[in-house]
Amino acid sequence: MAARIDHLVTSGTFALDGGEWDVDNNVWIVGDDTEAIVIDAAHDADAIEAALNGRTLRAIVCTHAHNDHIDAAPALAAATGAPVLLHPDDLPLWKQTHPDRAPDGELADGQELEIAGTTLRVLHTPGHAPGAVCLYAPGLGTVFTGDTLFRGGPGATGRSFSHFPTIVESIRDRLLTLPPETAVRTGHGDSTSIGTEAPHLDEWIARGH
């Protein structure tokens, strides 16, 4: 059976720079009936493990290390034996949430992860966070963008470790060059497509968002 994409929404708190906000996060599971990877283990390890439904978890991939995307990663790793993978540029953020538990492996630009006959290519897309990555699955016609690109614009860059010109460059050079029909599956909220978002790049730059 070919790889499929399962979607779970979990709820919790995003905390950074002394503030806290209630958030709903998208958790993406890519795999088949026997094995899978999880993209962003947010808030609820038990719910994510239940959604795996007995499948072997090969990896927990972090699109970046804001706490709402990684808070359940160690517990899910402990329950499943799967390694937690993170781009090393986000280690300072990771340590704010998990000071005593390092990730198990590193993500690198151009790296390819294989699951259920499907390739996920790591695209380093800094801006929202220094080690932010997107995962492009050409065989599924999908890119998982974390908090780099949303329906309606780039991810937020108003807090520590973020930089607006950098996220615009990442989106322009790494994401908007993908086929326009590519589905964009985001870290929060509704999905969109590259073709839907591409015409608005100049607007985002003009309004600084």
Side-chain angles (χ1 to χ4, degrees):
M1 182 178 293
R4 67 180 186 270
I5 301 167
D6 296 320
H7 177 217
L8 182 68
V9 177
T10 58
S11 301
T13 302
F14 167 52
L16 187 65
D17 296 342
E20 291 191 355
W21 300 265
D22 293 332
V23 288
D24 297 326
N25 284 63
N26 293 325
V27 179
W28 301 101
I29 303 173
V30 182
D32 57 16
D33 286 342
T34 60
E35 63 176 5
I37 68 165
V38 163
I39 300 170
D40 287 345
H43 307 307
D44 192 335
D46 290 342
I48 299 169
E49 186 179 7
L52 288 166
N53 196 28
R55 290 178 281 177
T56 299
L57 185 59
R58 300 296 184 191
I60 301 163
V61 181
C62 308
T63 62
H64 62 294
H66 284 151
N67 75 292
D68 57 317
H69 292 256
I70 64 165
D71 51 2
L76 185 62
T80 63
V84 178
L85 307 180
L86 177 75
H87 193 285
D89 288 357
D90 256 22
L91 278 173
L93 275 168
W94 171 276
K95 289 175 181 176
Q96 289 186 7
T97 302
H98 301 301
D100 301 320
R101 202 282 193 201
D104 301 297
E106 295 185 351
L107 297 171
D109 186 56
Q111 178 180 351
E112 294 188 342
L113 307 173
E114 303 285 341
I115 189 70
T118 293
T119 299
L120 297 170
R121 186 179 310 136
V122 177
L123 307 176
H124 183 209
T125 53
H128 180 70
V133 301
C134 298
L135 297 160
Y136 177 45
L140 300 176
T142 290
V143 61
F144 301 92
T145 58
D147 288 1
T148 294
L149 178 62
F150 290 108
R151 182 177 180 178
T157 53
R159 302 188 183 100
S160 298
F161 300 97
S162 64
H163 189 241
F164 179 73
T166 300
I167 200 171
V168 168
E169 182 179 357
S170 292
I171 292 169
R172 182 184 62 223
D173 297 346
R174 308 308 307 278
L175 297 180
L176 299 188
T177 53
L178 300 176
E181 64 275 14
T182 303
V184 175
R185 300 179 192 267
T186 61
H188 308 272
D190 295 334
S191 296
T192 181
S193 71
I194 294 296
T196 298
E197 303 306 324
H200 302 292
L201 179 65
D202 290 341
E203 297 172 28
W204 304 335
I205 295 172
R207 70 176 189 246
H209 168 70

